[in-house]
Amino acid sequence: MSIADTGEFGLISRVVARLDAGPKALLGPGDDGAVVAAPDGRVVASTDVLVEGRHFRRDWAGAAEIGRRAAAANLADIVAMGADPTALLVALCAPTDLDVAWAEELAEGLAAETALVGAGVVGGDVSASPTLMIAVTALGDLGGRPPVTRDGAQPGDIVALAGRTGWAAAGYTILSRGFRTPKALVEAYRCPQVPYAAGPRAAAAGATSMIDVSDGLLQDMGHVATASLVAIDLRTEAFSVPDQMRDAATALGVDPYHWLLAGGDDHALAATFPPGVTLPEGWREIGSVHDGEGLTVDRKPWTGGTGWDHFR
Amino acid sequence: MSIADTGEFGLISRVVARLDAGPKALLGPGDDGAVVAAPDGRVVASTDVLVEGRHFRRDWAGAAEIGRRAAAANLADIVAMGADPTALLVALCAPTDLDVAWAEELAEGLAAETALVGAGVVGGDVSASPTLMIAVTALGDLGGRPPVTRDGAQPGDIVALAGRTGWAAAGYTILSRGFRTPKALVEAYRCPQVPYAAGPRAAAAGATSMIDVSDGLLQDMGHVATASLVAIDLRTEAFSVPDQMRDAATALGVDPYHWLLAGGDDHALAATFPPGVTLPEGWREIGSVHDGEGLTVDRKPWTGGTGWDHFR
């Protein structure tokens, strides 16, 4: 059955049946707007869009995995501000011949990923469109903490990472060459494992800046360096190449450090901390902040690629 | 110059330069998430998506008008909950050959409409896409009032309307028949005039239910009747047909009451009030709430169309 058969309201009711508005929803889907608790008196909000052919392929990942990824990309932005996610809103644009079961599985994936952080899906919109597209807005609560922005890194700070990098990029390369294994790398591309708890924990520990690594560590830490008016150096010795990644890199003729340092989509969190701080659970040191500008790797300019530009 | 020439970050900086984060933004665009004031301790949130060919045509309206409409559709949802809009987030998906000036004008339209309600555009995302699509999320603050939902209408209540209906539908019919005048009707389609202040005012006056009329009065009041477990009757005598609309209806062979009662996209507000209440400024009585179910016009079933289904 296609979504043309169910119609707009039929699709909405089938999708909403698979969602949970979560504990922070004071009013869930079904009205003009949802009402979400914002006990801090401030709300953190972020929007990320996924377009078929650009950000996902239906032959590379299942609907539930795509739903998880759409949620993860947005939830990661909220925790990267040091906030606790409270709610998602989802706009789905889909061709009228889309199987309604695909939309239902997408909703299940969105719900499952969102439940990981104690949030829920509180609203959204659907429309027919020649291009399949998922736009998600995530909301979060700062719990009395100041937001952790990109512009607070100070010379002398430690650069630290929570979560993993390079896995999704390796999976993407593997899929784009027509392979389906190693499974662990392909799964990482299909559905990131975001270290959600590490974001608020870094905020509580006094992180001076933080960012969600969505476009690659070099590009995203470059944003931090630019915003903070500092230089940032990453140390390759802080990154060990996992065996599966090394094997895949050798087989595909890729430098695994390109995946580790320039690959996006794992939604690791990168942050800077004052010198001498005890890094909170889940964080490890990967570099340092200096006077100057720009990003270096082992104190030298990086000569590989730096990440994604979604128009090129 | 196309957006492929500017690239993702070039486009973002050009668009952001035309936006204003507004007085409620504690942190505007440029980080992983925005931070918006939510003094009430609750936030109202709503998402609406506009897809080219479904919700707008670039040959029927300018980019600034499309931007105003995208903002208006979402801001209307917030005021229909009785809340004051605080912020918008915007996801723009666009073909890579889109002229960057079009995106800049879109941003100017979004900013202008949002400024009407004292809110601002605090964040968003851009992506390349074969289909031009604008997904907007609006946030609002209830100012201590309870949200006005769809399910509170009581038998005996008055049905009232703020703003106008039928104008955008008339404009749409005119444009779809290949005409460009009367200008007032065409302009109404291109850019709705939403009675924003009437929403919070109705909430303060004790409205028992409220809805943004986006799909047509009959369909949207049908949602209120269903959610409230009541019957709603609208009176055609409450609707006078404006001269320009009557002339256009005659010329095009359309019943103007079809536009007035079933036409969407003007984003009027419809609400129910307890009997005997003095309707607040900008509201006029158009019907009544009864025991039973369903929607009638002059106490008879309506036999025309009831509004839009975005998949049919």
Side-chain angles (χ1 to χ4, degrees):
Chain A
M1 185 163 52
S2 77
I3 60 176
D5 299 321
T6 62
E8 179 180 358
F9 297 108
L11 174 61
I12 289 172
S13 70
R14 282 161 174 272
V15 164
V16 168
R18 279 154 180 87
L19 299 174
D20 181 348
K24 305 297 165 48
L26 305 170
L27 181 70
D31 218 297
D32 287 318
V35 184
V36 180
D40 176 82
R42 300 168 293 176
V43 61
V44 177
S46 181
T47 292
D48 251 14
V49 62
L50 273 67
V51 177
E52 183 169 37
R54 282 267 161 184
H55 303 92
F56 66 91
R57 283 175 53 163
R58 274 184 277 172
D59 58 338
W60 281 10
E65 292 163 326
I66 293 166
R68 294 191 79 125
R69 238 175 99 202
N74 283 275
L75 296 169
D77 281 325
I78 299 300
V79 299
M81 299 302 292
D84 295 302
T86 54
L88 288 194
L89 296 99
V90 182
L92 171 64
C93 298
T96 51
D97 64 358
L98 184 79
D99 191 332
V100 70
W102 195 94
E104 290 171 344
E105 283 170 33
L106 179 82
E108 286 167 6
L110 286 161
E113 190 72 18
T114 308
L116 291 179
V117 293
V121 183
V122 298
D125 192 17
V126 297
S127 175
S129 160
T131 305
L132 182 55
M133 191 279 315
I134 306 150
V136 179
T137 298
L139 305 179
D141 191 82
L142 284 162
R145 297 178 296 273
V148 185
T149 55
R150 299 178 177 189
D151 61 0
Q154 298 286 334
D157 281 356
I158 291 161
V159 178
L161 183 73
R164 59 195 195 175
T165 63
W167 287 68
Y172 176 87
T173 306
I174 290 162
L175 287 164
S176 62
R177 302 276 180 96
F179 300 106
R180 297 266 163 173
T181 56
K183 202 166 186 313
L185 296 169
V186 170
E187 290 296 320
Y189 168 76
R190 288 180 175 147
C191 181
Q193 292 178 17
V194 183
Y196 295 115
R201 209 182 277 147
T208 52
S209 74
M210 185 153 49
I211 194 164
D212 158 40
V213 183
S214 54
D215 294 330
L217 198 49
L218 291 165
Q219 181 166 318
D220 288 321
M221 288 312 292
H223 295 320
V224 172
T226 302
S228 300
L229 305 173
V230 295
I232 288 179
D233 184 59
L234 302 180
R235 288 202 318 278
T236 51
E237 68 178 17
F239 296 83
S240 61
V241 184
D243 288 346
Q244 286 175 306
M245 193 184 291
R246 183 176 302 280
D247 293 347
T250 303
L252 297 168
V254 174
D255 175 358
Y257 283 93
H258 182 84
W259 288 337
L260 289 166
L261 297 177
D265 286 334
D266 285 297
H267 297 292
L269 300 174
T272 55
F273 292 89
V277 81
T278 302
L279 290 179
E281 186 192 335
W283 289 89
R284 61 200 175 83
E285 190 173 340
I286 61 164
S288 48
V289 182
H290 304 273
D291 284 315
E293 61 182 31
L295 205 121
T296 50
V297 176
D298 299 332
R299 306 310 297 260
K300 295 188 291 280
W302 173 255
T303 51
T306 53
W308 306 99
D309 184 315
H310 290 123
F311 288 109
R312 288 177 174 144
Chain B
M1 186 164 51
S2 78
I3 60 175
D5 298 322
T6 62
E8 179 180 357
F9 297 107
L11 174 61
I12 290 172
S13 70
R14 281 162 174 271
V15 164
V16 168
R18 278 153 181 88
L19 300 174
D20 181 347
K24 306 297 164 46
L26 305 170
L27 181 69
D31 218 297
D32 287 317
V35 184
V36 180
D40 176 82
R42 300 168 293 175
V43 62
V44 178
S46 181
T47 292
D48 252 13
V49 63
L50 274 68
V51 177
E52 182 169 38
R54 283 267 160 185
H55 303 92
F56 67 90
R57 284 175 52 161
R58 274 184 277 172
D59 56 340
W60 282 9
E65 291 163 326
I66 293 166
R68 293 192 78 125
R69 240 175 98 201
N74 283 276
L75 296 169
D77 281 325
I78 299 300
V79 300
M81 299 302 292
D84 295 301
T86 53
L88 289 194
L89 296 100
V90 182
L92 170 65
C93 298
T96 51
D97 65 357
L98 184 80
D99 191 332
V100 70
W102 195 94
E104 290 170 344
E105 283 171 31
L106 178 83
E108 286 166 5
L110 286 160
E113 190 72 17
T114 308
L116 291 179
V117 293
V121 183
V122 297
D125 193 16
V126 297
S127 175
S129 162
T131 306
L132 182 54
M133 192 279 315
I134 306 150
V136 178
T137 297
L139 306 179
D141 191 82
L142 285 161
R145 298 178 295 272
V148 185
T149 56
R150 299 176 177 190
D151 62 359
Q154 298 287 336
D157 280 356
I158 292 162
V159 179
L161 184 72
R164 58 195 196 175
T165 63
W167 287 69
Y172 176 86
T173 306
I174 290 162
L175 286 165
S176 63
R177 303 275 181 95
F179 300 105
R180 297 266 163 172
T181 56
K183 202 166 185 313
L185 296 169
V186 169
E187 290 296 320
Y189 168 76
R190 289 179 174 148
C191 182
Q193 291 178 17
V194 183
Y196 295 114
R201 209 182 277 148
T208 53
S209 74
M210 184 152 51
I211 195 166
D212 158 40
V213 184
S214 54
D215 293 332
L217 198 48
L218 290 165
Q219 181 166 319
D220 287 322
M221 287 313 291
H223 295 320
V224 172
T226 301
S228 300
L229 305 173
V230 295
I232 288 178
D233 184 59
L234 302 180
R235 289 201 318 278
T236 50
E237 68 177 19
F239 296 83
S240 61
V241 184
D243 289 345
Q244 287 176 305
M245 193 185 292
R246 185 177 301 281
D247 294 346
T250 303
L252 297 169
V254 174
D255 175 359
Y257 282 92
H258 182 84
W259 287 337
L260 288 166
L261 297 176
D265 284 336
D266 285 298
H267 298 291
L269 300 174
T272 55
F273 291 90
V277 81
T278 301
L279 291 178
E281 186 191 337
W283 289 88
R284 62 200 176 83
E285 190 173 341
I286 60 164
S288 48
V289 182
H290 303 273
D291 284 316
E293 61 181 31
L295 204 122
T296 51
V297 176
D298 300 331
R299 307 309 297 260
K300 294 188 293 280
W302 173 255
T303 52
T306 53
W308 305 98
D309 185 315
H310 291 123
F311 288 109
R312 286 174 174 148

